Amino acid sequence: MDLSGVVPPASALSSGFFGDCQGTVSDTGTRVLLADELSAWSAQGDPLGTVLEVVTGDSAAAGNTSLVARLYADSPVTVKATCGTVKVDLTLQRGWNAAVFSGDSKALSLQAATPAMTSALKFQGYEPQVDFVLNQPLDLLFAENETVTVPVKILQVGGYSGPVNLRTSDINVQVEPATITLPALPTLSTQQISSLHGVQKLTLVRPQMVETQLTFRLNSGVLPYDQTTFQLEATSSSEQRLGGADGRLRIRGVRWDFEMGRYAFDVPQDGQGAVHIVAQPTQGFQGPVTFALMGLPAGVSATPVTLDFTQPGVRAVDIPVQVAGQAALGVSQLRLKVTGPRYVMSGPPTLSINVKLPQYPLPSGVTGIFPAGSGFWGTAATRFVDGQYRTTVIRYGLRGEQLSSAELPVSYGLRWTALGGSRTLVADSMGNMQILSDEGAVTPLPLKLSSMDTVARTADTRGRVWMIRRQYVEAGVKSELGFIDGAGQFQLVDGSRRYGDRDGAFSVSPDGQNVLFVGDGSMIPPVLISAASLNVTTLTGTLTGEAQISNSGDMYFTSGYGLSKRDTTGAVTAVTSAGQGAVRIIGWDRAQPDLLWLTTDAPAAGSPAALNVSTGQIQTYQNDSWFNGTPALPSTGGLYILNQGVLYPVRR
């Protein structure tokens, strides 16, 4: 093999080639280049493999493979030494010298080649694979473009040919074409020679390097990053890896996230809030960007916000949220829609919004509420003036707004009855009674109650307020059933029955036709009163605890820890199960006569619930541990609670 015309550059020579040898080295400063193989390439640069010159015939060392190597020396040198594990016996002239490697990894020798040796060229192909040759690093920038096209040369290493499947390691980046077919390479032929000084000829038929273009496509939609690295992967039809190339992906657009990881927020009915996000332009993006919330539940609206990004840096964005008074309670999943840039990078895909009951703080000093024709009356300050107690009451709307006020000549222990319309009957512990109008007018009544009297909380269909009047007589306590008429006088209906010495409770059906009185204790039988005929009927059996009568005449009462129903035939059935725990009756909804308000212990102790007596279904409502307050049933329907000066609507 003639290398006389090849002079290696000085940078390729090793100055310490014989520097670590034990023996004789005539010139340790001689710089040497050792070449023991040739690389085989196609005319266009496809790496095919290596060519070795192997000693053949009788010249080959027994049991070992001897290779002919070429050593280039920049000055003459004689070496008879052991260099590492190699025994060297060489006399080198300036220029190229032939030498023979023989032995194995444990005992190698390097000695001068002789003209009598014969050799042959042996080709060793590389493992079949492909290499990508790029004009520049694979750096893909996506801005307004959907694709990036890159010229590429594909080297067929080791003579590989056939289909090559292309893909990237990133699911968001696709490459086209997905498959490239590489043509078959020509056969490499050699001519064996018997002299080390001849010229070996390699025959290559035609150029084979494949030049093509690869198009990278970025998936649309929300992306998790604005820059990342990826790998272009090449595999065979049997999924054997053939090679690849490293790349970088950069995306110009806007990256956003919910502020400080707040992926859920609460907002009350009839209230407002804001979704806080942070946004940042990426890879030099500039321009207007609009942020809007999608998937809003009924009754919830949000105002889109537009920001104009002209400089890099993080910007804070607040999206206002408004919630109507009748918006459905509960949790909904929202999505943030970003328009403006082609590409958007985001945090989590959804945000939870929890619509909760509103809270309406009332002025300090309001200690109780009772119904008005519209809204509620709230008891405020009580003061002692000119030898008389006077209590200020304020009428509030259903959002806690003040509507009117009045001053009552009463002290404490207010008792009230909803008369219907805009009037409410009010009495105190001293028995003083007056009618209070929504406008704040106070009309005293002549009748005075005793502390033992029991008065209904609701007037009947004729506007009569039923009561049990009690007074001391020689034989004990006399009790009488009657009603308060429009003139404020007591009208006796029945004095023959015993109604108990104290307490008991009335229930008036929503239509005002049926009146039920349940005495205190099992010795006092309950009575049913017809508002139309004033007939009084003693009921057999016992109604325990709290009781309410419906328009149809069915009676609902607490029994033990549950709720039971007694129909007009006297049959009793359970309404609630043991799993719902203790039940307390609040009263009939004033707008929906088939709804009876209760509290149960499921899902939590004191949870408000509404029994639909038409269907027998019970719906429980959100409980924020505030039910230990005072309940009230407004004329417009629903249930409200006053607890520690805050008005909570349960359902409106």
Side-chain angles (χ1 to χ4, degrees), residues 13 104 106 222 264 278 402 496 556 580 646:
L13 302 179
D104 54 28
K106 296 180 180 180
V222 175
V278 289
Q402 184 172 328
S496 62
Y556 295 84
Q580 291 171 297
V646 179

Side-chain angles (χ1 to χ4, degrees), residues 42-344:
S42 71
Q44 278 195 321
D46 291 314
L48 304 176
T50 59
V51 178
L52 303 176
E53 189 173 357
V54 181
V55 177
T56 60
D58 295 336
S59 302
N64 294 316
T65 299
S66 299
L67 301 178
V68 179
R70 299 294 189 274
L71 288 90
Y72 182 89
D74 65 352
S75 63
V77 62
T78 297
V79 181
K80 290 184 180 293
T82 299
C83 303
T85 61
V86 182
K87 185 176 181 181
V88 181
D89 185 1
L90 290 174
T91 299
L92 303 180
Q93 304 300 320
R94 176 182 173 85
W96 287 102
N97 301 265
V100 177
F101 263 124
S102 60
D104 54 28
S105 60
K106 296 180 180 180
L108 287 172
S109 65
L110 180 62
Q111 58 189 0
T114 65
M117 288 182 178
T118 60
S119 64
L121 295 182
K122 180 180 180 181
F123 175 74
Q124 291 183 338
Y126 290 133
E127 181 181 351
Q129 56 184 307
V130 297
D131 278 345
F132 296 96
V133 180
L134 302 166
N135 294 333
Q136 57 186 6
L138 191 55
D139 188 359
L140 309 180
L141 173 62
F142 290 90
E144 293 304 313
N145 51 314
E146 185 179 359
T147 61
V148 175
T149 299
V150 177
V152 64
K153 296 178 181 179
I154 301 178
L155 299 181
Q156 296 171 250
V157 181
Y160 180 81
S161 62
V164 177
N165 298 322
L166 301 177
R167 62 173 177 246
T168 74
S169 59
D170 193 317
I171 61 173
N172 293 299
V173 182
Q174 312 300 321
V175 60
E176 303 169 357
T179 301
I180 293 177
T181 300
L182 301 179
L185 290 175
T187 302
L188 175 67
S189 63
T190 64
Q191 294 177 348
Q192 182 173 321
I193 59 175
S194 58
S195 172
L196 292 175
H197 306 292
V199 178
Q200 177 65 44
K201 297 182 179 179
L202 302 180
T203 304
L204 297 175
V205 180
R206 63 183 184 275
Q208 293 295 328
M209 180 184 289
V210 174
E211 297 186 21
T212 186
Q213 289 188 328
L214 298 181
T215 298
F216 295 88
R217 184 179 303 275
L218 184 63
N219 289 349
S220 59
V222 175
L223 300 166
Y225 47 71
D226 65 278
Q227 65 177 11
T228 188
T229 58
F230 69 96
Q231 189 171 62
L232 175 64
E233 300 173 346
T235 60
S236 67
S237 56
S238 61
E239 290 300 311
Q240 177 185 357
R241 180 176 171 81
L242 297 175
D246 294 328
R248 183 170 72 138
L249 173 67
R250 295 181 296 132
I251 306 171
R252 181 172 296 162
V254 170
R255 180 176 64 235
W256 68 268
D257 198 354
F258 296 110
E259 184 182 51
M260 298 183 66
R262 290 185 58 191
Y263 306 139
F265 76 108
D266 299 336
V267 63
Q269 288 177 324
D270 199 31
Q272 57 187 7
V275 174
H276 308 290
I277 64 174
V278 289
Q280 181 178 12
T282 64
Q283 306 298 328
F285 172 83
Q286 290 186 337
V289 180
T290 299
F291 301 88
L293 291 175
M294 309 298 292
L296 294 165
V300 180
S301 60
T303 304
V305 175
T306 299
L307 292 182
D308 193 2
F309 288 91
T310 58
Q311 299 292 332
V314 177
R315 299 276 297 274
V317 184
D318 287 345
I319 303 178
V321 177
Q322 299 81 33
V323 181
Q326 298 301 322
L329 298 173
V331 178
S332 300
Q333 300 298 320
L334 309 184
R335 305 182 312 277
L336 184 69
K337 181 180 180 181
V338 182
T339 55
R342 184 182 187 93
Y343 298 108
V344 177

